[in-house]
Amino acid sequence: SAVISQKPSRDICQRGTSLTIQCQVDSQVTMMFWYRQQPGQSLTLIATANQGSEATYESGFVIDKFPISRPNLTFSTLTVSNMSPEDSSIYLCSVAGYNQPQHFGDGTRLSIL
Amino acid sequence: AQTVTQSQPEMSVQEAETVTLSCTYDTSESNYYLFWYKQPPSRQMILVIRQEAYKQQNATENRFSVNFQKAAKSFSLKISDSQLGDTAMYFCALPRAGGTSYGKLTFGQGTILTVHP
């Protein structure tokens, strides 16, 4: 399976600031996703990162708050903008192919003060 | 609406014993995959096992096996010879209807499994 590198692994940020999380894959993949996992909770899909075009957002998530880029088939970024304590979560990227089930990066643990 | 339900928030088992985690789901698809992921305290999500709905044979991966009951929409995970390293949160997951087999996932609420020495 693909090797996924997600950075940073954790960060502590001040409210009102923004943080960009990177997801790098060691091979070209068809699909890339971003999930949020609030403390003690399950995973919720934020958006599908589309190569060369705007991401597809799920209900409750908007581009202004969570801008996503995917310039090629191996790299994507998620930015958490204008952060508040409610954004404290683990953010995970995942990759999949038409014959490859989803595999996840190690996640980014984000705490907002 | 597509749903995935794990009714056991927490489970515990003694080392070397067997434990079964439950999952029920609802989907409008006739053929689909189902997955179990584990998330140890290190937080990495790890694929444990997958089952394709049209296959009658239950999937097995070493000490992990599933009991897939398509008509009942039940997909339980059995862990045999439990080890301390099996301590983790376990999630049942189902790809969203109308998408690809490995596309957007809907996750259950999770079951925290603790293996005691």
Side-chain angles (χ1 to χ4, degrees):
Chain A
S1 61
V3 176
I4 305 165
S5 174
Q6 191 173 333
K7 297 179 180 179
S9 60
R10 61 174 59 229
D11 208 338
I12 301 173
C13 300
Q14 298 294 322
R15 70 175 66 202
T17 63
S18 298
L19 178 74
T20 296
I21 303 168
Q22 297 181 357
C23 182
Q24 178 76 55
V25 191
D26 69 344
S27 59
Q28 293 185 347
V29 292
T30 306
M31 293 174 275
M32 295 184 78
F33 305 96
W34 289 97
Y35 291 83
R36 181 176 72 181
Q37 185 179 25
Q38 294 178 304
Q41 303 295 313
S42 184
L43 280 73
T44 301
L45 181 64
I46 297 172
T48 303
N50 300 310
Q51 191 260 330
S53 63
E54 190 172 290
T56 305
Y57 289 85
E58 298 299 307
S59 176
F61 297 95
V62 296
I63 188 171
D64 289 347
K65 177 66 174 177
F66 298 102
I68 289 170
S69 76
R70 189 179 174 191
N72 55 53
L73 292 175
T74 64
F75 184 77
S76 178
T77 66
L78 167 72
T79 298
V80 186
S81 303
N82 187 26
M83 289 183 285
S84 66
E86 292 72 33
D87 296 319
S88 295
S89 296
I90 297 172
Y91 293 85
L92 300 107
C93 73
S94 74
V95 304
Y98 290 111
N99 293 310
Q100 177 187 358
Q102 280 190 43
H103 287 85
F104 288 79
D106 288 348
T108 296
R109 184 181 297 274
L110 183 57
S111 299
I112 314 303
L113 301 179
Chain B
Q2 189 172 10
T3 59
V4 179
T5 302
Q6 295 177 248
S7 59
Q8 305 155 312
E10 295 186 41
M11 296 278 286
S12 64
V13 64
Q14 293 295 128
E15 198 173 8
E17 298 292 309
T18 295
V19 64
T20 298
L21 309 183
S22 300
C23 173
T24 58
Y25 62 93
D26 192 18
T27 181
S28 58
E29 299 286 295
S30 58
N31 192 28
Y32 46 89
Y33 279 92
L34 287 158
F35 305 94
W36 278 98
Y37 285 87
K38 66 180 281 190
Q39 187 179 39
S42 63
R43 80 174 171 265
Q44 184 184 16
M45 291 284 286
I46 302 166
L47 178 62
V48 175
I49 198 167
R50 58 177 156 167
Q51 172 80 42
E52 190 163 6
Y54 82 87
K55 291 185 177 179
Q56 294 186 339
Q57 186 174 8
N58 288 323
T60 299
E61 290 285 345
N62 300 313
R63 298 182 295 107
F64 299 87
S65 61
V66 301
N67 183 5
F68 174 53
Q69 302 289 330
K70 188 174 183 179
K73 294 184 177 176
S74 171
F75 182 59
S76 61
L77 175 69
K78 185 172 81 171
I79 306 173
S80 304
D81 185 25
S82 296
Q83 300 176 359
L84 297 178
D86 295 332
T87 293
M89 194 159 187
Y90 287 79
F91 293 96
C92 179
L94 171 70
R96 193 171 301 175
T100 62
S101 298
Y102 296 129
K104 303 174 183 180
L105 293 175
T106 299
F107 286 88
Q109 302 91 325
T111 297
I112 298 173
L113 175 67
T114 303
V115 181
H116 297 285

